[in-house]
Amino acid sequence: MQLNVPDPVYTGSERAQANFRLAIKLALNFVVLLWLVQLVNSGLDLGLERFGVRPRQLGGLPGILFAPLLHSGFSHLAANSLPLLVMGTVMLYLYPYSSLTVIPAAYLGTGVAVWLLGRESVHIGASGLVYGLVSYIFVAGVIRRDRRAVAASLLAYF
C-alpha cells in the first residue's frame, strides 16, 4: 500500500497558501459566529436553547437549522470550537469541491437524524457537525490514501 504524498511544488505555491488562508478564515468566521450567538444569548438571557431539536415534534423541526448554532454554555462551546476550526479548515482546504455538499449534509443530516432518532429532550450544539466532518475527512483520507487528512481527523477525534 502506498500513501499519496502532496506535491511540494504545489503545497508551497502562493495559490495553495492563499487557499489555506481562505479555509482558515471561513472556519474561523463560523466559530466566531457561534461565540457571538452564545455571548448575545448569555448576555441578554434570551434562552435560545429552546430552539434546539425536539425529536419527533413539529415544533422541533426548526431546531435542525438552529441547534448547531446554540450551546448550553461557554464550556460546551469551547469544547466544539477547536475541533470545528481544525476540521472546517481541513475540509475546506483539502476537499474544497466536496465541502459544498458535505458541510450542508453534516449540518442538516445530523439534525434530521436527531429529530428522527433522538431521546425526548432538547438537543443543541455543533457536535454532530464536528463528527460528520471528522468522519468524512477520515474516510476520504483512507480511500484517497491522503496522510494529511487521516492525521487531521484522528487528531480531532482524540
Side-chain angles (χ1 to χ4, degrees):
M1 179 169 103
Q2 182 177 352
L3 294 175
N4 291 335
V5 179
D7 180 9
V9 173
Y10 174 74
T11 56
S13 73
E14 183 59 38
R15 181 175 178 200
Q17 291 172 2
N19 289 345
F20 185 69
R21 285 191 299 272
L22 178 62
I24 289 175
K25 192 180 300 184
L26 291 171
L28 185 59
N29 283 336
F30 183 71
V31 171
V32 166
L33 171 67
L34 296 181
W35 279 89
L36 288 173
V37 168
Q38 184 62 34
L39 284 168
V40 169
N41 187 31
S42 295
L44 299 177
D45 198 25
L46 298 175
L48 295 177
E49 296 83 8
R50 69 183 181 272
F51 294 110
V53 177
R54 284 180 273 136
R56 294 167 300 284
Q57 297 177 18
L58 287 179
L61 283 173
I64 293 170
L65 291 175
F66 299 122
L69 303 174
L70 307 172
H71 291 80
S72 62
F74 288 102
S75 61
H76 182 206
L77 177 56
N80 280 326
S81 293
L82 184 60
L84 268 175
L85 183 60
V86 172
M87 290 296 97
T89 300
V90 170
M91 185 72 206
L92 291 164
Y93 179 65
L94 295 180
Y95 307 110
Y97 299 110
S98 297
S99 295
L100 298 174
T101 54
V102 171
I103 292 173
Y107 187 98
L108 298 172
T110 54
V112 169
V114 167
W115 191 82
L116 290 172
L117 306 170
R119 63 177 160 59
E120 291 300 320
S121 179
V122 177
H123 300 266
I124 56 174
S127 298
L129 177 59
V130 170
Y131 287 116
L133 294 177
V134 167
S135 300
Y136 179 84
I137 291 168
F138 179 76
V139 170
V142 169
I143 290 171
R144 297 177 185 184
R145 297 184 176 147
D146 184 350
R147 291 187 307 185
R148 296 179 302 169
V150 172
S153 61
L154 289 175
L155 175 69
Y157 178 77
F158 291 115

